[in-house]
Amino acid sequence: YPPAPTVTLLPLAVLGLAIRMNDKIQRLMNLTRDGVVPNNESIEDTLVDIGNYAIMSIIVKKGVWSK
């Protein structure tokens, strides 16, 4: 993983993670709509990804990403 973002880049890092979380939430909505059967990524995988991005956001905000 890359080093922790500097203080000036912190908002962009958190924004980037929020965007990725939104991508996964949109994917989850598509997977749970109209009985769609996932081809590449399961609902469980998507939920794990959302949780991981949330944890990464907390770590980045605390400034301990590289510690």
Side-chain angles (χ1 to χ4, degrees):
Y1 294 104
T6 62
V7 173
T8 56
L9 295 178
L10 181 62
L12 292 176
V14 174
L15 176 61
L17 288 162
I19 289 169
R20 292 298 299 141
M21 285 177 63
N22 182 61
D23 293 343
K24 293 298 180 173
I25 291 167
Q26 295 301 317
R27 170 83 172 141
L28 180 62
M29 290 171 59
N30 286 333
L31 290 174
T32 57
R33 186 178 315 152
D34 300 327
V36 173
V37 177
N39 291 331
N40 301 323
E41 181 177 335
S42 70
I43 292 172
E44 184 176 333
D45 289 341
T46 301
L47 290 169
V48 168
D49 288 343
I50 292 168
N52 286 335
Y53 284 121
I55 292 166
M56 288 165 56
S57 298
I58 292 167
I59 292 168
V60 167
K61 284 192 65 74
K62 288 185 175 186
V64 294
W65 180 260
S66 65
K67 291 183 182 177

